[in-house]
Amino acid sequence: MTTAIRQAGRATGRLLGAALMAFGTYLFVTVLLIAVIGTLVVVGAWMLPEAVLLVRRIAGAKRRQVAGWTGREIPEAYEPLTGTLRERLRTAVRDPGTLADLRWMAAHYVYGWLVLLALPLWPVGLAVDGVWCGLLGRDAVVLPWVVRLADVEARWSAALLEPSPKARLAARVRALTETRADAIAAHGAELRRIERDLHDGAQARLVALSLRIGLAQRAFDRDPDSARKLMEDAQDQAEQALTELRHVVRGIHPPILTDRGLTGAVRALAAGSGLEVTVRVEGLLDGGVSGVSGGGGGVGGSGAAGPSGGPGGVAGSRGYRAPAAVEAAAYFAVAEALTNVVKHSGSPRAAVELVRLRNGLRAVVRDEGLGGADESAGSGLLGIRRRVAALDGVVNVDSPVGGPTTIAVELPCVW
């Protein structure tokens, strides 16, 4: 009986909130009519886009209310109201989301008052269910109808507020256009970075190497000792140039990803990060079977990599391996996140998780540092978002002031 009363009370509060929103939409009709009339007489044309924006906010509040009751998010799919007044008017009128919101608002004027059916059920329910449950020990039969009314209201709202296929397609096209633009911008920035690294690093050392070899050739007959010294310097320059080239190659696609896979590459990152990093892998191919030097647990297990990079164990099944592009995106996301931990968090420890999902891959980096990560303060998190968005992935950053910080990346892929 207590459970039934608690659930019915929560449902009644939910229906009261819906009734208050219905009452608010009654008042909003006046604003909408003024905006329409102002548009028809041209003088108040600017009011219609603002009224549509207000409708979107009301519908968004209803979506959040329904999601709080059902536990299922209702997506939004609107055309952006930007540009000139003429463009904003055209979008406000032609956007399928506007028609859907107005249709929901009109229907909500009626079914938003289902609380009027729920209130009479309370005295009847308390009397009938009190006897039925208290004396006979049976389940409540009247008060659960209050919950059913709240469920009906939520289902009707969800059905009316669900974006149409046309609106979903338009939103998808906009998202793909934005991610393509970000991918092109990121690609251009990457090419400029590679060019700069080659010009300032390997190319400069190769030029110095060529000069020393030329000087050594000239001095070989008259001063063999100087020629030998120049050749030793040339050898050092060659080694440094190779190091610079390896650094550039690692920035394009780390060879360790090809050799050891994502798990082995992440363990190597953990070992060289200077942090105490715990690596947990679930369901992925263990590329470190051939001998990973670095911390981290095996598939389905966990381990730690200290500053010195102690060896970690390998256990469990061999699992699966993601496509190369997905592995590269996850690798760079983990690398950037660990770099942020070292630079900004102040925490000596971090944890990395690599999990195979049914339709994708999830990489999570956590630390117990200062928190308060600001994506606008630098290019690191923005770079992660751009790289992941190019593969239609998602990045979630949870970093309250005082910590902890969690960066979770989900990348879709076919296994």
Side-chain angles (χ1 to χ4, degrees):
M1 180 65 180
T2 304
T3 301
I5 292 176
R6 187 184 306 112
Q7 292 176 346
R10 181 169 173 263
T12 303
R14 164 78 176 74
L15 291 171
L16 282 173
L20 290 174
M21 183 170 288
F23 179 73
T25 54
Y26 277 128
L27 300 178
F28 178 73
V29 170
T30 305
V31 178
L32 191 59
L33 288 175
I34 293 174
V36 172
I37 294 172
T39 302
L40 292 177
V41 299
V42 180
V43 177
W46 60 271
M47 296 180 61
L48 186 60
E50 299 302 323
V52 170
L53 285 175
L54 187 55
V55 171
R56 291 181 179 183
R57 293 190 184 98
I58 295 173
K62 186 62 181 180
R63 288 186 177 93
R64 291 189 293 273
Q65 188 185 71
V66 173
W69 178 259
T70 62
R72 187 180 72 86
E73 297 290 334
I74 303 175
E76 294 185 354
Y78 294 118
E79 293 282 344
L81 288 176
T82 56
T84 64
L85 178 59
R86 182 185 296 274
E87 292 171 344
R88 298 178 70 207
L89 281 171
R90 185 185 300 112
T91 302
V93 174
R94 296 182 179 179
D95 185 7
T98 302
L99 179 60
D101 288 348
L102 293 176
R103 185 170 60 243
W104 160 77
M105 189 174 290
H108 196 247
Y109 290 154
V110 180
Y111 75 85
W113 297 96
L114 286 175
V115 68
L116 298 178
L117 298 178
L119 292 178
L121 293 175
W122 272 96
V124 177
L126 291 175
V128 173
D129 291 340
V131 175
W132 190 252
C133 300
L135 298 180
L136 302 179
R138 304 293 184 85
D139 293 335
V141 293
V142 178
L143 288 178
W145 279 99
V146 180
V147 180
R148 293 189 184 99
L149 286 174
D151 290 338
V152 168
E153 197 276 338
R155 282 198 299 270
W156 287 351
S157 296
L160 290 169
L161 291 172
E162 192 78 22
S164 66
K166 183 179 179 181
R168 285 178 177 269
L169 179 60
R172 180 62 175 162
V173 170
R174 286 196 304 273
L176 290 176
T177 301
E178 292 174 0
T179 55
R180 183 184 65 177
D182 287 342
I184 292 174
H187 179 67
E190 189 72 8
L191 288 178
R192 290 190 294 272
R193 182 192 65 80
I194 294 171
E195 181 182 9
R196 184 176 62 253
D197 290 346
L198 288 174
H199 181 272
D200 297 342
Q203 180 178 337
R205 297 193 185 280
L206 289 175
V207 170
L209 170 63
S210 177
L211 289 174
R212 279 175 170 75
I213 292 177
L215 292 173
Q217 288 177 336
R218 293 182 180 181
F220 185 77
D221 292 331
R222 56 184 176 80
D223 192 353
D225 293 335
S226 297
R228 187 178 299 108
K229 181 64 170 60
L230 289 171
M231 291 302 295
E232 291 175 355
D233 292 341
Q235 184 178 6
D236 293 338
Q237 289 288 341
E239 292 174 354
Q240 292 173 5
L242 288 174
T243 301
E244 294 285 347
L245 288 173
R246 281 194 292 268
H247 175 74
V248 173
V249 170
R250 282 197 298 270
I252 301 172
H253 185 85
I256 193 172
L257 273 177
T258 303
D259 298 338
R260 300 183 182 178
L262 180 61
T263 55
V266 168
R267 289 196 185 101
L269 279 175
S273 65
L275 300 168
E276 183 182 344
V277 183
T278 300
V279 180
R280 188 178 74 87
V281 183
E282 181 180 334
L284 296 177
L285 181 66
D286 192 348
V289 172
S290 61
V292 176
S293 176
V299 176
S302 63
S308 60
V314 174
S317 61
R318 294 184 62 82
Y320 299 83
R321 183 163 180 180
V326 174
E327 283 192 341
Y331 173 85
F332 284 114
V334 172
E336 182 62 38
L338 288 178
T339 301
N340 288 343
V341 174
V342 174
K343 289 183 177 179
H344 308 297
S345 75
S347 173
R349 291 178 297 276
V352 179
E353 293 182 8
L354 301 174
V355 181
R356 174 184 177 265
L357 306 176
R358 186 171 62 89
N359 293 318
L361 169 69
R362 181 170 67 237
V364 182
V365 179
R366 296 186 180 89
D367 69 74
E368 300 176 358
L370 302 175
D374 184 5
E375 296 188 40
S376 62
S379 59
L381 292 176
L382 181 60
I384 293 177
R385 287 197 182 277
R386 283 181 170 177
R387 187 181 290 272
V388 171
L391 298 177
D392 207 19
V394 178
V395 179
N396 292 313
V397 179
D398 183 15
S399 182
V401 177
T405 296
T406 301
I407 299 176
V409 173
E410 290 194 10
L411 294 158
C413 68
V414 178
W415 299 94

